Amino acid sequence: MDKDQSIALSVEAWKKTIDVQQHFNEICMKIRNVYATLLAGLFALIGILETRTEDVMMSAFGLEIHGILLILLGIFGMSMLFYFIDRHWYHRLLVGSVMNGLEVEKYLNETVVGFKLTSFIGENSALDISERTPGNWMLYFLAKILRAEITLLDGKYLLRSDAKITIFYKSMAYVSLIALTFIAASGGIVAIENG
């Protein structure tokens, strides 16, 4: 195979790689969209339950449990499940296609110009939180609390896609867990009195 044929095949491989990257990116965005929609619905349900004149209590295991606790538990479980599906399933496939794209671009850039889409996206997708603003400090501490990886590169603190995904899902998971604990401790769970 001569060099022109090799380049032509590499260009086709690059095109297909970009298609695969788009495909996995769309899947990840759909997962986040479904998650956000379900989350909004569950928060709306909490709002509806809070506007009722009587608390919605459910009996189980000799306890009266406030209905909101079950919704908050559902939010926690749903958040962690969506996090797993997004971060540890489809996002890994996207990262694999990106790594392949970088290899193809590396080969093509040795002989042809203009094949840097994957590398340019990678270089520009990280969120720089180095500037000392309240928002950046909040993201920094949130990332630390949620154990999201902060990348230090050339003196800059960067949140890459893995960290952004962690913050997106785990912040809601942990907020729901904190709310669940607070509501449970303040009368959301009471023992049924045998009378």
Side-chain angles (χ1 to χ4, degrees):
M1 178 181 339
D2 68 7
K3 191 166 187 169
D4 288 340
Q5 288 175 320
S6 177
I7 290 172
L9 285 173
S10 295
V11 168
E12 288 305 311
W14 181 82
K15 288 179 186 178
K16 190 52 150 171
T17 300
I18 296 298
D19 287 344
V20 170
Q21 289 174 11
Q22 288 175 328
H23 171 70
F24 288 130
N25 192 51
E26 286 173 10
I27 290 173
C28 290
M29 293 310 294
K30 286 178 183 176
I31 290 168
R32 294 169 199 156
N33 188 25
V34 169
Y35 170 74
T37 302
L38 289 171
L39 193 63
L42 290 172
F43 279 126
L45 184 57
I46 288 173
I48 290 168
L49 290 179
E50 277 298 305
T51 60
R52 296 177 56 99
T53 55
E54 292 182 24
D55 287 339
V56 176
M57 302 294 281
M58 295 169 200
S59 300
F61 309 109
L63 300 170
E64 286 282 321
I65 303 168
H66 199 292
I68 289 176
L69 293 177
L70 298 176
I71 297 169
L72 290 170
L73 185 61
I75 289 172
F76 175 77
M78 179 188 78
S79 296
M80 295 310 290
L81 178 63
F82 273 84
Y83 170 74
F84 175 79
I85 291 169
D86 190 348
R87 168 72 177 80
H88 295 293
W89 196 329
Y90 286 103
H91 183 69
R92 286 180 182 225
L93 298 174
L94 174 60
V95 169
S97 66
V98 166
M99 299 307 283
N100 183 67
L102 290 171
E103 286 297 313
V104 175
E105 286 179 4
K106 181 180 173 184
Y107 171 77
L108 284 170
N109 281 314
E110 292 173 359
T111 54
V112 183
V113 295
F115 290 94
K116 293 188 176 186
L117 179 63
T118 303
S119 55
F120 281 166
I121 289 172
E123 291 167 10
N124 291 287
S125 66
L127 178 61
D128 182 358
I129 58 169
S130 303
E131 188 178 334
R132 294 182 177 175
T133 65
N136 286 348
W137 280 107
M138 185 179 75
L139 283 171
Y140 179 85
F141 287 116
L142 192 57
K144 288 294 187 182
I145 290 166
L146 299 174
R147 301 185 68 196
E149 184 180 341
I150 299 171
T151 304
L152 183 60
L153 183 66
D154 298 329
K156 293 183 179 182
Y157 293 103
L158 304 174
L159 292 180
R160 299 206 174 274
S161 57
D162 292 349
K164 291 184 233 177
I165 292 170
T166 298
I167 291 170
F168 181 69
Y169 291 107
K170 286 188 175 180
S171 61
M172 283 294 101
Y174 293 162
V175 163
S176 67
L177 203 56
I178 291 166
L180 185 147
T181 304
F182 177 75
I183 292 170
S186 60
I189 299 177
V190 292
I192 298 174
E193 295 179 16
N194 293 328

